[in-house]
Amino acid sequence: MPTETPQPAFVLVNPQMGENIGAAARAMWNFGLDRIRLVAPRDGWPNQSAVAMATGAGRLLDEAQVMQTTAEAVADCTFVMATTARNRDLTKPIYAPEQAMKIAHERIAKGEKVAILFGPERAGLENPDIALANAIISVPVNPKFASLNLAQCVLLTAYEWQRHAVEITQETVELAGGQWATQTEVQKLSDHYEERMETAGFFFPEHKADSMKLNLRNLWSRMPLTQADVRMLHGVMRQMVRWKERGD
Amino acid sequence: MPTETPQPAFVLVNPQMGENIGAAARAMWNFGLDRIRLVAPRDGWPNQSAVAMATGAGRLLDEAQVMQTTAEAVADCTFVMATTARNRDLTKPIYAPEQAMKIAHERIAKGEKVAILFGPERAGLENPDIALANAIISVPVNPKFASLNLAQCVLLTAYEWQRHAVEITQETVELAGGQWATQTEVQKLSDHYEERMETAGFFFPEHKADSMKLNLRNLWSRMPLTQADVRMLHGVMRQMVRWKERGD
């Protein structure tokens, strides 16, 4: 059984080597974290190399949730942060692990569900995964030498979670009786707009279509949207379609 | 040549596997630390496995000082801290890495020489080594699962050194060459949407129109919009209008 303590889910996206999944599990459990989600692990699941490496933290692997897509893995979350070393030219808040885990504590204390995305060993997260995130976590490594592996990145993040565990700030955000939108809700909003704008011929010229779509998706994922906001934005788009169809 | 920045020496006492010495060097250099001292490495020195593992941080090994005893390795230091997981029943201050590295910074800033001792992989430091230390560093791991290896312990300590070295900005938002939208720009966006939604018959029934308009205005004003976001959102609306007017 997982521990009762509310905590972020650590999502390993397309992890390659089983050994690294096992090492990540150990790194997490060192700091009391035990919720792993795996997105399409390269060598399938369960994985014997992962189990062999995870000695003492094997329970985390038994209880790991395995999903096929990153979107699915964060569907129930209201706040997602993506770890990345590279400069992405994305307009999202970038936090050091320290600030990131402080924010995670604050949001989780308010009942939110938080996920942290970790990319595959060699390449790191891809842009469509990053587009799902509300913010970026970047470890301030030596600019001349950045060689953190997956388990080390997990270790530092888990360490910072634990370091802040004692000092949870109770801050209230007024939601005017509303709720933050979940990732699924924001995704559906993204899908809705993308689909309609596709029909309306917005993504033009064609060679720019993919980056325009990514920009639009990033725009929604970066906004602090409530469920009421999401309903309103769906309504705006639906009304434009009705207006066109009415043809008056 | 080592970096000029004054910094603590990391002393690996009786390290066993060359791979772990290499991994420790990499962990240090990730956070800009490059002073290694080795006390009687089990497999002698130089060590090819260490070099192979240290890719990119090999210089640290070339420049490592090798000593026969821990006493010799800390002889020139004024303050020594020993990392240990176990409770030693010693009357010494015990610090988490955070406090320890804060102290290291303070002392080094005053011109002191500081060393941090790390024990051999399996057994950790022996009591005579600990006796040389002025204080203990203990990583606050999960009491049910403490499995930090040598390189991980080095990593967390180096991370904390670096965390106190750099003034970490509270939050950086990368604007990808862009700028935050001004209030005027957000207002114009609000006006644009309101006008179009009015035409499209969105604000209905009439007795709810005012509060719906207010909600839509609040939505935009609450979002952290860049100028690029604003352009994109104008574009979305314009395209819907074009699509309608085309009437296809």
Side-chain angles (χ1 to χ4, degrees):
Chain A
M1 287 296 293
T3 53
E4 301 270 312
T5 331
Q7 55 179 259
F10 276 27
V11 182
L12 310 188
V13 179
N14 305 136
Q16 315 284 300
M17 307 273 290
E19 286 81 355
N20 295 328
I21 303 172
R26 289 170 67 95
M28 287 173 65
W29 190 225
N30 264 300
F31 295 107
L33 292 174
D34 61 357
R35 316 280 160 83
I36 301 187
R37 295 177 182 188
L38 299 170
V39 177
R42 186 192 64 186
D43 299 338
W45 198 257
N47 179 320
Q48 280 319 303
S49 320
V51 173
M53 186 62 168
T55 343
R59 174 178 66 76
L60 278 66
L61 299 184
D62 297 340
E63 293 165 358
Q65 294 174 276
V66 183
M67 281 91 162
Q68 280 319 299
T69 65
T70 308
E72 200 188 328
V74 300
D76 61 336
C77 298
T78 51
F79 197 73
V80 176
M81 291 188 273
T83 56
T84 166
R86 285 178 285 151
N87 186 341
R88 302 286 187 152
D89 275 346
L90 292 171
T91 311
K92 285 186 204 273
I94 301 183
Y95 301 112
E98 183 181 8
Q99 286 86 38
M101 290 302 104
K102 214 166 181 177
I103 290 165
H105 269 292
E106 286 165 2
R107 289 185 172 263
I108 286 169
K110 284 180 219 140
E112 288 196 48
K113 283 201 169 186
V114 173
I116 317 293
L117 305 180
F118 297 88
E121 292 90 332
R122 207 165 298 173
L125 289 167
E126 308 231 5
N127 283 339
D129 294 325
I130 306 235
L132 296 169
N134 302 92
I136 301 291
I137 304 179
S138 185
V139 180
V141 285
N142 183 354
K144 288 181 225 150
F145 186 72
S147 84
L148 291 182
N149 63 33
L150 175 59
Q152 287 175 321
C153 188
V154 166
L155 182 81
L156 290 173
T157 310
Y159 167 79
E160 281 289 0
W161 167 263
Q162 139 81 21
R163 208 166 62 77
H164 290 288
V166 279
E167 33 167 296
I168 300 168
T169 325
Q170 292 287 350
E171 184 197 324
T172 35
V173 164
E174 278 180 45
L175 276 175
Q179 295 282 327
W180 292 116
T182 64
Q183 282 291 317
T184 304
E185 289 161 338
V186 177
Q187 276 309 303
K188 281 187 184 153
L189 180 70
S190 265
D191 293 346
H192 183 189
Y193 269 69
E194 187 172 297
E195 195 189 310
R196 288 306 186 179
M197 296 321 290
E198 183 93 76
T199 310
F202 183 60
F203 301 115
F204 182 86
E206 211 177 313
H207 70 274
K208 286 198 180 165
D210 282 350
S211 78
M212 288 175 81
K213 285 179 192 177
L214 198 62
N215 286 341
L216 189 56
R217 289 195 168 266
N218 269 317
L219 191 159
W220 300 126
S221 71
R222 221 180 61 242
M223 300 297 144
L225 295 166
T226 63
Q227 295 184 337
D229 294 335
V230 168
R231 278 194 302 274
M232 167 80 82
L233 290 165
H234 276 299
V236 162
M237 186 47 83
R238 263 187 230 112
Q239 190 64 29
M240 291 309 288
V241 173
R242 256 183 239 122
W243 178 59
K244 179 206 154 71
E245 285 171 354
R246 233 166 39 217
D248 55 21
Chain B
M1 287 294 293
T3 54
E4 302 269 312
T5 330
Q7 55 179 259
F10 277 27
V11 183
L12 310 189
V13 179
N14 304 135
Q16 314 285 300
M17 307 272 289
E19 287 81 355
N20 295 328
I21 303 173
R26 288 170 67 94
M28 287 173 64
W29 190 225
N30 265 299
F31 295 108
L33 293 174
D34 61 357
R35 317 280 160 84
I36 301 186
R37 296 177 182 188
L38 299 170
V39 176
R42 185 191 65 185
D43 300 337
W45 198 256
N47 179 319
Q48 279 318 305
S49 319
V51 172
M53 186 62 168
T55 342
R59 176 178 66 76
L60 278 66
L61 299 184
D62 297 340
E63 293 165 358
Q65 295 174 277
V66 185
M67 282 92 161
Q68 280 318 299
T69 66
T70 307
E72 201 188 327
V74 299
D76 62 335
C77 298
T78 52
F79 196 74
V80 176
M81 292 188 273
T83 56
T84 167
R86 286 177 286 153
N87 186 343
R88 302 284 186 153
D89 274 344
L90 293 170
T91 315
K92 284 186 204 279
I94 300 182
Y95 301 114
E98 185 181 4
Q99 286 86 40
M101 289 303 103
K102 217 168 179 172
I103 291 166
H105 269 290
E106 287 162 4
R107 291 185 171 264
I108 286 169
K110 285 185 214 136
E112 290 196 47
K113 281 200 171 187
V114 173
I116 317 293
L117 305 180
F118 296 88
E121 292 90 332
R122 208 167 299 175
L125 289 166
E126 308 230 6
N127 283 337
D129 294 325
I130 306 238
L132 295 168
N134 302 91
I136 301 292
I137 303 178
S138 185
V139 181
V141 284
N142 183 353
K144 289 181 224 150
F145 186 71
S147 84
L148 292 181
N149 63 33
L150 175 58
Q152 287 176 321
C153 189
V154 166
L155 182 80
L156 291 173
T157 310
Y159 167 79
E160 282 289 0
W161 168 264
Q162 141 80 17
R163 205 166 64 77
H164 291 289
V166 183
E167 194 189 52
I168 299 167
T169 40
Q170 279 303 303
E171 179 187 336
T172 338
V173 173
E174 262 183 55
L175 280 173
Q179 296 282 329
W180 291 117
T182 63
Q183 279 298 313
T184 306
E185 288 161 337
V186 177
Q187 275 313 304
K188 281 186 183 155
L189 180 70
S190 265
D191 293 347
H192 184 189
Y193 269 70
E194 188 173 296
E195 194 190 310
R196 289 305 185 178
M197 296 320 291
E198 184 91 77
T199 310
F202 183 59
F203 302 114
F204 182 86
E206 210 177 314
H207 71 275
K208 285 196 181 168
D210 282 349
S211 78
M212 288 174 80
K213 285 179 191 174
L214 196 62
N215 286 342
L216 189 55
R217 288 193 169 268
N218 269 320
L219 191 160
W220 301 126
S221 68
R222 224 183 56 246
M223 300 297 144
L225 296 167
T226 63
Q227 294 185 335
D229 294 335
V230 169
R231 278 195 301 275
M232 167 83 81
L233 290 165
H234 277 300
V236 162
M237 184 49 81
R238 264 187 230 114
Q239 190 66 28
M240 292 309 287
V241 173
R242 255 183 238 123
W243 179 58
K244 180 205 154 70
E245 286 172 354
R246 230 164 43 216
D248 54 19

